[in-house]
Amino acid sequence: MSVLSAADTRNPVSRDGDARTSLLLAAAIGLAWLTIHVGAIFFWRWNAMTVLLAVPVILVQAWLSTGLFIIAHDCMHGSLMPGRRGVNTVVGTLCLAAYAGLSYRALFPKHHAHHAAPGTADDPDFHAGEPRRAGPWFFRFFLGYYTHAQILRITVAAIVYMLLGASLLNIVVFWAIPALLALVQLFLFGTYLPHRHEDTPFADAHNARSNALSPLVSLMTCFHFGTYHHQHHLSPRTPWWRLPSSIGGR
């Protein structure tokens, strides 16, 4: 049902180069997220000017939070560090924990179940009963990813933050809200629009569509996983940053 990814067909030197690029991009995204996370939660002071500044900071952090999930997603496919499952597991675990206290161990089999039967009743990311309506689908998507254990992990982290001097307001504004916005972003561009049923049938059994967004907008919406979603299903081990040049075109 799928073809070899660009990463699979490259020689070892090229694959090593891809791994270095993936690690550098992951480090840049992670460092930017961590800088805003620590700086805003522990050092943000509220006044008339910072109230206005908070909006772009939240939006940037939401985008970076989406990036953390995408890095973990690449780790699940082994494309961050091909052949280094341990490294992929560690990086993916850290990214999901930082993003929203999610469990890499729990999400790993669910994501591969999605790829095994995309857009069917066996797909944990799909709503077979509502394949067109965003509202019911999002509610099911939300319940599928957010668990009591995850809420407990976030609560413990928030308590530790407050013991270290952070305010609950800053934790909500600069961690919870960006995480929720990233969830909406991931659902809308990375799941709903690519797999939504339309009058035009899907091209193949992957039950996925790509779109015609520009590379910049593609990057800003979901790190290319909306614009090149069909290509991702055809070539799941291609890292996110290579999707615009992936095989198969649009």
Side-chain angles (χ1 to χ4, degrees):
M1 291 177 61
S2 63
V3 295
L4 287 175
S5 72
D8 292 328
T9 58
R10 290 177 177 272
N11 62 48
V13 174
S14 296
R15 288 199 298 270
D16 289 345
D18 280 3
R20 285 193 294 270
T21 299
S22 292
L23 283 174
L24 286 172
L25 290 171
I29 292 168
L31 181 60
W33 183 91
L34 185 62
T35 299
I36 294 176
H37 184 76
V38 173
I41 287 177
F42 288 99
F43 301 104
W44 193 272
R45 298 296 178 264
W46 292 98
N47 55 51
M49 182 176 295
T50 58
V51 166
L52 297 176
L53 182 60
V55 174
V57 172
I58 290 169
L59 293 177
V60 169
Q61 192 68 337
W63 180 71
L64 291 170
S65 297
T66 299
L68 290 181
F69 191 95
I70 295 302
I71 294 166
H73 169 272
D74 271 8
C75 290
M76 293 178 193
H77 287 291
S79 58
L80 181 82
M81 285 289 288
R84 302 289 297 276
R85 183 172 183 177
V87 174
N88 288 316
T89 298
V90 169
V91 174
T93 298
L94 291 174
C95 285
L96 290 181
Y99 161 52
L102 292 168
S103 167
Y104 183 85
R105 179 180 296 179
L107 265 62
F108 185 93
K110 291 180 65 175
H111 185 67
H112 285 277
H114 162 70
H115 274 270
T120 70
D122 295 324
D123 179 358
D125 292 347
F126 184 67
H127 195 326
E130 294 284 358
R132 294 177 180 246
R133 296 175 60 205
W137 191 341
F138 177 75
F139 184 68
R140 185 180 186 279
F141 185 82
F142 179 89
L143 292 180
Y145 278 90
Y146 284 78
T147 65
H148 294 311
Q150 180 243 354
I151 297 301
L152 178 61
R153 287 190 288 268
I154 290 178
T155 300
V156 170
I159 291 172
V160 172
Y161 282 9
M162 287 188 286
L163 290 174
L164 294 174
S167 74
L168 180 59
L169 175 62
N170 286 6
I171 295 170
V172 171
V173 170
F174 297 113
W175 191 13
I177 291 178
L180 289 172
L181 290 176
L183 173 67
V184 174
Q185 191 170 353
L186 288 161
F187 168 75
L188 179 62
F189 295 104
T191 299
Y192 173 68
L193 292 177
H195 293 287
R196 177 184 60 178
H197 283 198
E198 298 177 355
D199 293 337
T200 304
F202 292 105
D204 54 33
H206 292 289
N207 293 327
R209 290 186 177 88
S210 298
N211 60 53
L213 296 178
S214 70
L216 178 59
V217 177
S218 172
L219 174 64
M220 297 306 297
T221 51
C222 197
F223 287 78
H224 302 311
F225 275 97
T227 303
Y228 303 94
H229 201 84
H230 186 227
Q231 286 86 340
H232 166 61
H233 275 268
L234 290 171
S235 180
R237 297 193 67 186
T238 297
W240 68 265
W241 54 273
R242 272 204 175 275
L243 285 173
S245 59
S246 61
I247 57 176
R250 290 184 187 274

